[in-house]
Structures are given as C-alpha cells and as structure tokens.
C-alpha cells in the first residue's frame, strides 16, 4: 500500500481481499453490522442537535460555550479522520471497528453521565476521536467484503441511504427521548446500539489489513488538529471578551503558525498525512474549499433554528424533531433527482444552482420574527435549503476526485469528509460568536426587557453571515469547478459513495 494514502483501503483503492473470486458468504450480514454502526454515528448527530437546549440548561452552559457541544465532536472527528483511516488499515479493520464501537459507547456513557460542561465537552471529543477510527474501518470492511463491483455498488448505495434515513430517525428519537425520558438518554442509547453491533461483528465480520510500510504522520496530525482547535477557541474567546482581546488574538496567532507549519511539513514528508498534490488540482481544490465554506455556513440553520423552536416558540423537543422531518425527506428525494440530472447538466451548473438555492434559503431566514409562521416562513426555507444541499453534495463527491491517481483516491475521498467536519466546526464557532455579540449589543442598546427580541436579532445577524458564507462557496464553485476529461473515474478507483450525498453531521 502506498504511503501517500490515508483511506485507500477504506474506499476501494488498494483493497485486495485474499480471494476476489470467492465472495464472502456472510457479506450481507456483515453489511448489516456495519450499517448498524453507521446508523449510530448518524443518530448521534441529529439526536444531540435536538437535545442541546436541554443539556445546556441542565449543565448551566452559557451561550458562548454551548457551541462546544457540537465542535468538540466535529473537531476531533475531522482532525483525526485521515489518521484513523491509516490505523484501521494497518492494525486491522475488524479490530479497529470493534475498538471504535467500545470507545464510542464508553464516550457516550461518559457524556450521558456528565455533571458539568467540561465533562460533556470531553465526552463529545472522545466520541469524535473514536468515530474517526470507526467510520473508515466501517467503510473499509464494506470494500474488502464486497469483491463484486455490482454487489459493492449496492452495498454502498444502502450505506449512503442510511445516512439520510438515520438523520430523520435521529430527529424523532431525539425529540422522544428528550421529552419523555431525559436528554442524557440521547447519549446513553449509543451504548445499546454499539453492544448489539459488537456482539454481531465478532462471528460475522472477517479481519483484514494492509501490508507493507506502516508509518504514521503523527506530527502532521498534531499540527493540523491543534491548529484548527486553536482557531475555534479563538472564536469562543472573541464571543466572551471581544475580537481584539488578548486571548482571541493569541489563539488566532497560534492557529496561523500551526496551520502554516502543517502545510510546510506536508510538502517535505515522503509519507504525508495529506499529499498536497491532491488539493492543488483545480477541481479538487475548488471542491474542498467549497465544502469547508458551505459546511461553515449551513450548520447555522440547524443550530439556531433548534434554539428558536425550543427557546423562542417554546416547542417541545419532539415537536422540534418533527419540524425538521420535511427537510430530511426533501433532501433524500431531491438527491435522487440530482443524481439523474448530473450527467446531463454537469457538476458546475448543478453545484452553482444548488449554492444559489441554499443562499436564498438563508437569506429568507434573515426575516425571522418572534411569531413567524412555520408553514409560511420556515418550511419553505427548509425545502429550499434541502434542494440546495442536495444539488451541491451529489456532484461534490465526483468533483473532489477529478483526475485523481489510483493511489490517491482514498485520501482524496477522506479529505472531502474532513473538510465538511472542519468547516462545520469553524462555522458553528464563528456563527455562535456572531450571535452572542449581536445579542449583547442589542440588549445594551435597548435594555434587558428586550431580551427575546435581542435573540431574534442575533438569529437574523447569524443567518446573514451564513448566507454570505454559502454565497461565497457558490462563487468558489462557479469560478473553480471546470469540466475535465478525467471527470469520469472507474468505480473501483474511487470512493464507492461518491455518487451519493456525503453525510452531514450536525452534532
């Protein structure tokens, strides 16, 4: 296996089972086990999103710090995903899959039992770290288990679909558990799911691992992960003490030094965590940049609409979860339409159109009021945002692999998921800072009696910034994505999920 790949075997490139002519007779059972683990990870995101207001209130988390419920997870997941793929390949995919399940369940138990914000944030970071080894291990198990191209396509089709369906299930479960049990059960439920998957995986899933050089780029992992964490922490400090405060400026400076150091290091290593040739290609680079900026902009809707529903409209967690269902349903349906349209219109047209729709949805939400109608105001924005995201994410898997060499296909696929997580982390931190700053300024100008109106003002300002970010991602798409003669890549050379919308983690 080449040193320049991180998830090569996890996505099909470089994965060679011992006997490709003899399909595993338990392959469909193995897929069921992997899907159960994937469902757990997807559920965790949407369940936690619904439970956030209750957890914040129970643990007395202030508005400036609440974003760490999301970003602690996404930072760890995105920052360690590339390394996690290498660990799964080298140590053994089944072994790491089992370790990931146990670790994810243990971290969920820790989070469910959290007595303060530090304990919850730490548990969420642990969940992200174990998720970063669990996700690529699950993908690689599917790839090496399904040796037939048609079977593999079916398997990954189901794998992609479970993300959309799981998100909808998570919204309902989050509402039910938070309202009728306790927000803590939104984390405890992972223990049950992980235990079932663990018990089933032992007799069903076969072990496999890559041979050859097994060196890891630990310095690159540390520089990138700590650098991104410092950047997010800088936004948090800015929300508390102002953009020009010593804490914020020091954090931003540390982030700049570490991230520049990461790029310099990766250009010098023979086995880098991220081969820079992967991102310098115009279409691939444009795709990753689009993914980061779009991820930063779109998560504002999930974060602030949840607080609007529960905090301003005083809806129950269950009603909040139900309110998101049209979004999930529309995303699944429109993604299918987008897959059929992609060969006809091409990625640039579809992604640009989708970006404009998503920008329009966020601009629409800037008109939110205390008594806005769900059917007349919020639902249209949800449907518009779902359409926009579907039209962007369906082609994004393909453009992020434009012209990529066979031995770089794995890392190119992994970078796309990583950029979504990192973009989401930065976006939540930035938008939460914008929100708290806007609310504080409004209350200072109008008095504490206008706190409710101040929150609405904060939402609208945050949505405005979100619209700007999504609009910027659309501009990047329009200017950088081009048709390429190598845009059509053989299935066995790329991530088998490239034709499906990438999973969006909102928790």
């Amino acid at each position: 296996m080449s040193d320049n790949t991180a998830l090569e075997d996890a996505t099909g490139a470089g994965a060679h089972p011992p006997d490709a002519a003899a399909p595993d007779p338990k392959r469909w059972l193995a897929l069921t086990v992997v899907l159960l683990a994937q469902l757990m990870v997807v559920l965790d995101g949407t369940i936690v999103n619904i439970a956030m207001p209750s957890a914040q209130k129970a643990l007395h988390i202030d508005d400036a710090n609440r974003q760490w419920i999301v970003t602690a997870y996404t930072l760890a997941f995105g920052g360690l995903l590339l390394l996690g793929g290498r660990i799964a390949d080298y140590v053994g995919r089944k072994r790491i899959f089992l370790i990931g399940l146990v670790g994810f369940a243990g971290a969920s138990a820790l989070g469910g039992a959290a007595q303060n914000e530090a304990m919850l944030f730490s548990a969420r970071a642990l969940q992200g770290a174990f998720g970063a080894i669990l996700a690529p291990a699950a993908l690689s198990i599917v790839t090496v288990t399904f040796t037939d191209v048609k079977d593999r396509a079916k398997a990954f089709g189901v794998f992609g679909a479970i993300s959309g369906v799981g998100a909808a299930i998570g919204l309902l479960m989050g509402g039910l558990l938070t309202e009728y049990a306790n927000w803590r059960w939104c984390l405890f439920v992972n223990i049950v799911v992980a235990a079932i998957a663990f018990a089933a995986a032992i007799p069903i899933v076969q072990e496999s691992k890559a041979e050859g050089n097994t060196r890891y780029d630990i310095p690159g992992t540390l520089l990138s992960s700590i650098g991104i964490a410092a950047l997010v922490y800088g936004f948090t400090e800015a929300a508390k003490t102002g953009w020009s405060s010593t804490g914020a400026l020091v954090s931003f400076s540390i982030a700049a030094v570490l991230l520049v150091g990461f790029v310099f290091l990766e250009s010098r290593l023979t086995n880098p965590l991220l081969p820079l040739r992967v991102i310098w290609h115009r279409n691939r680079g444009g795709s990753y940049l689009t993914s980061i900026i779009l991820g930063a902009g779109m998560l504002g809707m999930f974060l602030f609409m949840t607080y609007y529903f529960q905090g301003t409209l005083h809806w129950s967690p269950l009603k909040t979860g139900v309110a998101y269902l049209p979004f999930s349903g529309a995303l699944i349906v429109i993604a299918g339409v987008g897959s059929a349209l992609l060969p006809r219109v091409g990625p640039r047209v579809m992604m640009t159109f989708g970006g404009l729709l998503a920008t329009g949805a966020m601009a629409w939400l800037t008109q939110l009021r205390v008594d806005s109608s769900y059917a007349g105001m919020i639902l249209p924005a949800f449907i518009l945002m779902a359409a926009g995201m579907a039209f962007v994410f369906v082609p994004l898997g393909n453009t992020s692999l434009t012209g990529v060499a066979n031995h770089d296909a794995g890392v190119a696929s992994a970078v796309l998921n990583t950029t979504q997580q990192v973009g989401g982390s930065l976006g939540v931190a930035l938008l939460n800072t914008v929100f708290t700053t806007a609310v504080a300024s409004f209350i200072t100008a109008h008095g504490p009696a206008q706190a409710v109106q101040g929150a609405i003002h904060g939402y609208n300002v945050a949505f405005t910034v979100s619209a700007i970010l999504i609009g910027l991602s659309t501009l990047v798409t329009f200017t950088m994505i081009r048709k390429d003669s190598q845009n059509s890549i053989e299935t066995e050379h790329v991530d088998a999920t490239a034709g499906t919308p990438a999973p969006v983690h909102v928790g």
Side-chain angles (χ1 to χ4, degrees):
M1 176 175 158
S2 169
D3 283 336
N4 293 326
T5 63
L7 291 179
E8 200 168 276
D9 289 310
T11 56
H16 302 289
D19 185 1
D24 182 355
K26 297 182 179 179
R27 61 191 182 279
W28 295 109
L29 289 175
L31 176 64
T32 302
V33 174
V34 171
L35 290 178
L36 191 59
Q38 174 69 3
L39 180 64
M40 177 182 68
V41 174
V42 174
L43 287 178
D44 182 76
T46 49
I47 281 179
V48 170
N49 187 58
I50 297 297
M52 274 183 65
S54 298
Q56 180 184 358
K57 182 178 179 180
L59 300 182
H60 308 291
I61 303 172
D62 62 36
D63 286 348
N65 282 332
R66 69 185 179 188
Q67 51 95 6
W68 285 105
I69 301 175
V70 175
T71 52
Y73 177 89
T74 54
L75 271 177
F77 187 92
L80 299 175
L81 181 64
L82 291 170
L83 180 64
R86 282 188 183 271
I87 293 172
D89 287 342
Y90 296 160
V91 176
R93 299 175 183 107
K94 177 179 178 179
R95 180 180 301 176
I96 292 302
F97 181 76
L98 294 174
I99 292 173
L101 286 171
V102 173
F104 200 91
S108 298
L110 182 66
Q115 299 301 306
N116 52 57
E117 62 179 40
M119 189 173 176
L120 179 60
F121 299 160
S122 298
R124 291 290 287 159
L126 277 176
Q127 279 187 305
F130 281 106
I133 65 172
L134 180 60
L139 279 171
S140 64
I141 287 171
V142 174
T143 301
V144 300
T145 301
F146 289 86
T147 57
D148 179 76
V149 174
K150 291 183 178 179
D151 279 355
R152 184 183 297 174
K154 292 178 182 177
F156 274 110
V158 177
F159 192 92
I162 202 69
S163 297
V165 175
I169 295 173
L171 292 169
L172 284 176
M173 284 187 63
L176 287 168
L177 291 173
T178 303
E179 185 166 348
Y180 295 111
N182 188 282
W183 68 268
R184 297 178 184 277
W185 278 99
C186 293
L187 293 166
F188 286 148
V189 70
N190 292 329
I191 303 172
V192 179
V193 179
I196 296 172
F198 184 92
I202 293 176
I204 293 174
V205 177
Q206 295 185 9
E207 182 62 283
S208 65
K209 64 180 179 179
E211 304 297 337
N213 194 311
T214 58
R215 288 186 296 174
Y216 302 101
D217 180 11
I218 301 299
T221 301
L222 292 175
L223 284 175
S224 60
S225 301
I226 298 174
I228 295 169
L231 186 59
V232 172
Y233 184 77
F235 287 127
T236 305
E237 283 298 296
K240 294 179 178 179
T241 57
W243 291 95
S244 60
S245 66
T246 301
L249 294 177
V250 169
S251 296
F252 290 142
S253 299
I254 292 174
V257 171
L258 292 179
L259 293 176
V260 170
F262 170 72
V263 174
F264 178 80
L265 177 67
E266 298 304 279
S267 68
R268 296 293 187 270
L269 293 179
T270 57
N271 61 325
L273 183 71
L274 174 60
L276 296 183
R277 63 178 173 274
V278 171
I279 63 175
W280 290 152
H281 184 281
R282 179 167 181 158
N283 270 17
R284 294 196 299 268
S287 298
Y288 301 140
L289 187 57
T290 296
S291 180
I292 290 177
I293 302 173
L294 181 62
M298 70 181 184
L299 283 188
M301 186 189 77
F302 298 103
L303 176 66
F304 297 117
M305 286 309 301
T306 296
Y307 279 92
Y308 174 76
F309 287 146
Q310 297 187 33
T312 302
L313 300 183
H314 304 292
W315 285 8
S316 68
L318 178 57
K319 189 174 181 179
T320 300
V322 172
Y324 279 118
L325 287 183
F327 171 85
S328 299
L331 181 62
I332 295 170
V333 172
I334 298 172
V337 175
S339 296
L341 287 176
L342 179 58
R344 301 178 183 179
V345 302
R348 183 191 184 197
V349 172
M350 181 176 289
M351 292 172 69
T352 301
F353 179 65
L356 291 174
L357 290 179
T359 303
M362 293 307 306
W364 180 277
L365 285 176
T366 61
Q367 306 303 309
L368 198 67
R369 298 292 180 262
V370 175
D371 56 352
S372 290
S373 164
Y374 175 79
M377 171 71 187
I378 298 169
L379 183 59
F382 279 6
I383 301 300
L384 203 61
M385 176 61 78
M389 288 173 57
F391 286 141
V392 172
F393 283 128
V394 166
L396 195 62
N398 189 32
T399 57
S400 65
L401 293 165
T402 300
V404 70
N406 180 48
H407 58 272
D408 285 336
V411 71
S413 301
V415 170
L416 177 61
N417 202 345
T418 300
T419 54
Q420 290 175 358
Q421 301 301 319
V422 171
S425 300
L426 297 176
V428 169
L430 170 63
L431 294 171
N432 194 61
T433 300
V434 168
F435 170 80
T436 54
T437 302
V439 171
S441 299
F442 188 92
I443 292 177
T444 299
H446 299 86
Q450 297 297 316
V452 173
Q453 193 60 47
I456 297 299
H457 173 71
Y459 295 144
N460 290 337
V461 173
F463 289 146
T464 300
V465 176
S466 289
I468 293 172
L469 288 171
I470 298 174
L472 180 60
S473 75
T474 306
L475 181 62
V476 169
T477 296
F478 182 76
T479 56
M480 294 191 68
I481 301 299
R482 289 290 184 270
K483 290 184 178 180
D484 192 294
S485 59
Q486 293 178 300
N487 204 35
S488 296
I489 308 172
E490 294 298 322
T491 302
E492 59 267 32
H493 289 175
V494 300
D495 181 358
T497 62
T500 62
V504 179
H505 297 272
V506 294

